[in-house]
């Protein structure tokens, strides 16, 4: 591009040299230099912007990968917690069933023991009553 501008400048200066004065040619050459300088600055700026864009794209890609990894870790954590929760819930239900069964057994045993104690007390009264009647007859 730079060579083509120089060629165009040279051609313009040769063709204009016969028709225009040297002041015009000098002005045009200055304008060409300014334009070339401006093009060079814009190229440098484009290179910097491209570098910055590449950096941003790299950062975005890394953040996207980190986000996906975080989602996977969270999913694993959620799944493991869900499994632990289900195990604890099963254990709780089993303990609750065992407690209910044990409580029913306790209540049945208590009723049975109460009945047996009542029967034994009744027998003891009957035995005492018989003994007292026997002692009373002996007298």
């Amino acid at each position: 591009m730079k060579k083509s501008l120089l060629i165009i400048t040279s051609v313009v200066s040769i063709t204009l040299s016969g028709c225009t004065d040297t002041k015009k040619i000098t002005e045009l050459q200055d304008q060409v230099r300014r334009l070339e300088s401006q093009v060079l600055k814009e190229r440098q700026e484009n290179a910097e912007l491209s570098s910055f864009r590449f950096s941003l794209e790299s950062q975005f890609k890394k953040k996207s990968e980190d986000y996906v990894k975080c989602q996977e870790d969270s999913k694993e954590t959620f799944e493991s917690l869900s499994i632990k929760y289900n195990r604890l819930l099963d254990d709780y239900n089993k303990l609750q069933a065992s407690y209910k069964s044990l409580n029913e057994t306790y209540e049945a045993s208590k009723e049975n023991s109460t009945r047996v104690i009542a029967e034994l007390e009744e027998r003891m009264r009957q035995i005492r009553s018989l003994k007292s009647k026997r002692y009373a007859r002996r007298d």
Side-chain angles (χ1 to χ4, degrees), residues 7-125:
I7 293 172
I8 292 172
T9 306
S10 300
V11 170
V12 169
S13 64
I14 292 172
T15 55
L16 293 177
S17 63
C19 302
T20 59
D21 59 357
T22 55
K23 184 178 177 185
K24 270 287 203 200
I25 293 173
T26 307
E27 286 177 9
L28 288 174
Q29 287 175 343
D30 288 342
Q31 186 178 3
V32 167
R33 280 189 218 108
R34 283 192 306 268
L35 289 173
E36 286 175 346
S37 173
Q38 186 177 355
V39 166
L40 182 62
K41 286 178 186 177
E42 287 182 6
R43 283 184 182 160
Q44 289 173 346
E45 187 177 317
N46 281 345
E48 290 173 9
L49 289 174
S50 292
S51 173
F52 183 67
R53 178 179 173 211
F54 178 76
S55 171
L56 287 178
E57 286 174 349
S58 297
Q59 290 175 15
F60 180 76
K61 184 178 178 183
K62 180 166 180 359
K63 294 297 179 190
S64 295
E65 290 170 356
D66 290 347
Y67 176 75
V68 168
K69 185 177 183 293
C70 182
Q71 277 185 324
E72 290 171 359
D73 291 346
S74 296
K75 183 179 177 184
E76 289 174 7
T77 302
F78 179 75
E79 288 174 353
S80 66
L81 287 175
S82 182
I83 290 169
K84 287 179 183 177
Y85 173 77
N86 289 335
R87 285 184 195 153
L88 287 172
L89 187 61
D90 288 343
D91 290 346
Y92 173 76
N93 290 334
K94 288 175 185 175
L95 286 172
Q96 195 172 28
S98 295
Y99 172 77
K100 186 177 179 182
S101 174
L102 184 63
N103 199 29
E104 289 171 355
T105 304
Y106 167 75
E107 289 297 325
S109 175
K110 181 179 168 184
E111 288 174 12
N112 191 26
S113 295
T114 303
R115 194 172 353 102
V116 168
I117 290 171
E119 288 174 3
L120 289 173
E121 286 175 346
E122 182 61 31
R123 280 188 190 168
M124 283 180 60
R125 273 188 239 130

